[in-house]
Amino acid sequence: MNIKLIVVGKLKEKYLKQGISEYAKRLSKFCKLNIIEVADEKAPEKLSAAQMEQVKQTEGIRILDKIKDREYVFALAILGQERSSEEFAKEISELTTYGHSDLTFVIGGSLGLSSAVLKRANTQISFGRFTLPHQLMRLVLVEQIYRSFMINSGSPYHK
């Protein structure tokens, strides 16, 4: 199984890199994890709605360029569907059972994802209505992916 994270921007914080690295190591016995960073657009504090849309569209083109047709895509979006860890684990298990061995998760930049990326996604997933830094979201997502594999394997990690 292949799991790809497409993320906007570079990860700078050492503690986040260490956490992601730890979960990536743990995940290596379950899947091949690939994290692809695409460049973020410079976005000054005060942008018009049209300028914000342009930033999202430019980042969206970069994201879509990294997605292949056969990939099942989860877009992380605040208005996406919330799932429990158990529901997420079941969803991953069912996807792999029914032939989806390439799962892709997309985390947008500070302004979110373009409508084109949201349209390409097979599903939108939300981790709640909190706003989290997208760099921190990477760590949360990788931990939840690991947790889903542990749930599916019957491990006590989840408790």
Side-chain angles (χ1 to χ4, degrees), residues 21-78:
S21 177
E22 175 61 28
Y23 285 110
K25 187 173 74 179
R26 293 180 187 190
L27 275 166
S28 67
K29 55 185 161 195
F30 300 107
C31 66
K32 181 177 181 272
L33 178 68
N34 186 16
I35 300 175
I36 297 172
E37 294 180 336
V38 298
D40 56 343
E41 277 297 288
K42 299 297 170 239
E45 286 297 312
K46 294 193 186 241
L47 292 178
S48 69
Q51 289 170 315
M52 284 187 205
E53 201 51 45
Q54 182 58 51
V55 167
K56 290 195 296 187
Q57 284 180 10
T58 302
E59 291 174 348
I61 290 166
R62 293 177 187 148
I63 291 166
L64 291 170
D65 187 50
K66 304 296 182 191
I67 299 173
K68 295 180 176 56
D69 288 344
R70 72 178 184 279
E71 295 172 11
Y72 188 95
V73 178
F74 289 84
L76 274 70
I78 206 157

Side-chain angles (χ1 to χ4, degrees), residues 3 12 28 35 53 62-63 85 97 102 113 115 120 138 140:
I3 293 185
K12 297 173 187 85
S28 67
I35 300 175
E53 201 51 45
R62 293 177 187 148
I63 291 166
S85 294
T97 299
D102 295 302
L113 293 167
S115 57
R120 167 57 183 92
R138 288 189 209 186
V140 172

